[in-house]
Structure formats: C-alpha cells, structure tokens
Amino acid sequence: MDKSGRNGRKGGVSHPVFAYMYSRFAPGAERLGAAHHRDELLSGISGRVLEVGAGSGLNFRHYGDAVTGVLAVEPEPHMRAMAIRASIDVPVKVLVVGGMDSRLPVADAVFDAVVASLMLCSVPDQRVALAEMYRVLKPGGELRFYEHVQAQERVLASIQRAVDTFWPYFGAGCHTSRDTLRAIEESGFEVTSLHRFRFQPCLMCAPVSPHITGVALKRLSG
Ligand SMILES: C[S@@+](CC[C@H](N)C(=O)[O-])C[C@H]1O[C@@H](n2cnc3c(N)ncnc32)[C@H](O)[C@@H]1O
C-alpha cells in the first residue's frame, strides 16, 4: 500500500483492518457526537442524493423524507458490505455500489445533492474528487460536507503536518492537515453555510479534532 491508501487494485481499495477498526470505533464516536453532526449535515436535504465514500453507511438513517433516493458509492469491499447491510433497515431507498471518487459511475448534472462525509481526507487528490462531485450535481445543487480539516491554530497545524508523515499509512490514506474548505472553494463551489467545531471522541483523535460541516452550491452558470 502507498501513502494515498491505494494497494494496487484496479478501480478500488482494500483496507480490511481499517474497515474492522472503523466498525468497532464508530458506535462510540456516534454516541459522543458524530450522530448529531450527521443530523446537522443532512438537515433539509432533498431530492436525488449521491453519497461518495459512504463507508459502512452511518449516514443512511439520518436521511429525511424529502430524499427520493440515495446512490451510495463505496470502493472498499468490507465497508461496502456493511453499507449494504445498513441500507436494508432505513426508511429512504439506498442503493450501494462500488466506485471511486475520481470516476463516479453516473452521468453529468443528475443529482440534487452530493454528500462527502469524512472522506475528503482520504482521497488521493481532493481537486479530482471535487471536480467529479461538481460534474454530477445539477446547477444550483448542493455539496453537503462533514470533514476533519487543517487546524486554524498554528501549533496544532504543525503537529498535523508532522503526523501526516505516518498517519495515512495506518488510516487507510487519511490525512490530518488538509485545507478542505479551501479545496471546496477553489473547485468552483459557493460555500453558503459553514460550521467550524472541535470534536475529539478519543485521546488519539487530537490531530483530527478540527471539523467543518456545511453546504456549498454548484453555481447556476459557469
Ligand atoms: C473514514 S471513512 C468515512 C466513511 C463514511 N463516509 C462516514 O461518514 O462514516 C472514509 C471512507 O472513504 C472511502 N474512500 C477512500 N478513498 C476513496 C476514494 N478514492 N473514492 C471514494 N471513496 C473513498 C473509504 O473507503 C471509506 O469508506
């Protein structure tokens, strides 16, 4: 496996240990606040939704009635199997498929909303991922994001840069120091709502404690 988290498989990634650890760690993190963040992420979302890097499907039960259907793309087979199980027991219709951020298996401008939650830290190139998300959104469509990001405080930001020399090897390609908000803005989106907060569900989670959630729109023209 290289630092981006790829292991040489064509068109997918394989991280069985990370998938297992995530499934063990997630319930506690959800209880400590992540479930509430997912409610905030998906509040008022409507229409046809694409979720990229859906993981084990932790967002699925947070979609409301106004969503007509969710296409959930997840490249990692163990995560995808968990997402398929999670999709069975939710009120909204969810279809889980394989696929990568860099080549989403869908046509241009067909979704009302795209959801990126805790995944832009792991993609090999944020600009490529965001360009794909922009492509598949209808004009005026929403990118809903919930991500851990680069710290605004200088000391923590330099700790994050140091941590990123080894963290991606153990975190399936996850980077702690990415300026994801800037990447979203530089990809042509207009950020219309933003909430910055700290969330640290475990001792080791300090480098990934600065979070953002919000909405960014695909412009109506251009
Ligand atoms: C930390 S998990 C988050 C999962 C889920 N979105 C959540 O909120 O719990 C990161 C997810 O991003 C996925 N991912 C990593 N690289 C990806 C890529 N290049 N394209 C799409 N998804 C990717 C991983 O397989 C994993 O499921």
Side-chain angles (χ1 to χ4, degrees):
M1 185 182 76
D2 66 17
K3 196 182 168 194
S4 71
R6 289 185 167 176
N7 71 349
R9 280 194 181 195
K10 249 189 169 177
V13 291
S14 178
H15 297 297
V17 176
F18 179 79
Y20 174 76
M21 298 301 285
Y22 199 72
S23 72
R24 303 290 299 196
F25 168 78
E30 296 301 300
R31 274 196 303 277
L32 288 169
H36 170 71
H37 306 150
R38 295 180 193 283
D39 279 338
E40 181 180 347
L41 167 73
L42 301 175
S43 163
I45 195 170
S46 63
R48 212 173 156 196
V49 176
L50 175 71
E51 188 175 330
V52 185
S56 54
L58 290 169
N59 283 324
F60 297 168
R61 69 185 178 85
H62 298 270
Y63 287 107
D65 294 347
V67 170
T68 51
V70 178
L71 180 66
V73 175
E74 172 50 50
E76 208 290 323
H78 304 84
M79 288 287 207
R80 194 162 63 242
M82 291 188 260
I84 290 169
R85 285 199 291 278
S87 72
I88 293 165
D89 211 15
V90 287
V92 64
K93 199 172 148 199
V94 180
L95 176 65
V96 181
V97 298
M100 299 287 286
D101 68 312
S102 52
R103 202 168 171 192
L104 296 170
V106 293
D108 295 358
V110 288
F111 288 95
D112 299 291
V114 169
V115 173
S117 89
L118 306 175
M119 60 78 63
L120 284 168
C121 54
S122 304
V123 297
D125 185 333
Q126 289 191 320
R127 274 151 185 95
V128 170
L130 287 161
E132 269 297 88
M133 293 175 187
Y134 201 89
R135 176 183 73 76
V136 304
L137 273 174
K138 294 176 184 172
E142 297 182 328
L143 171 66
R144 297 285 186 119
F145 53 90
Y146 166 40
E147 297 286 341
H148 64 78
V149 293
Q150 183 186 67
Q152 291 185 297
E153 305 79 12
R154 259 204 244 153
V155 174
L156 183 53
S158 29
I159 292 171
Q160 288 177 320
R161 280 193 297 279
V163 160
D164 274 355
T165 56
F166 60 86
W167 191 278
Y169 293 101
F170 302 101
C174 172
H175 295 73
T176 70
S177 65
R178 287 187 168 174
D179 190 350
T180 302
L181 181 62
R182 186 168 171 189
I184 291 170
E185 288 170 334
E186 289 181 356
S187 299
F189 289 97
E190 182 191 356
V191 175
T192 56
S193 132
L194 178 67
H195 177 199
R196 277 188 190 271
F197 58 99
R198 291 290 276 269
F199 177 50
Q200 190 182 336
C202 69
L203 203 60
M204 268 178 53
C205 298
V208 289
S209 59
H211 280 68
I212 54 171
T213 187
V215 182
L217 300 184
K218 175 170 176 171
R219 292 170 199 278
L220 287 170
S221 59

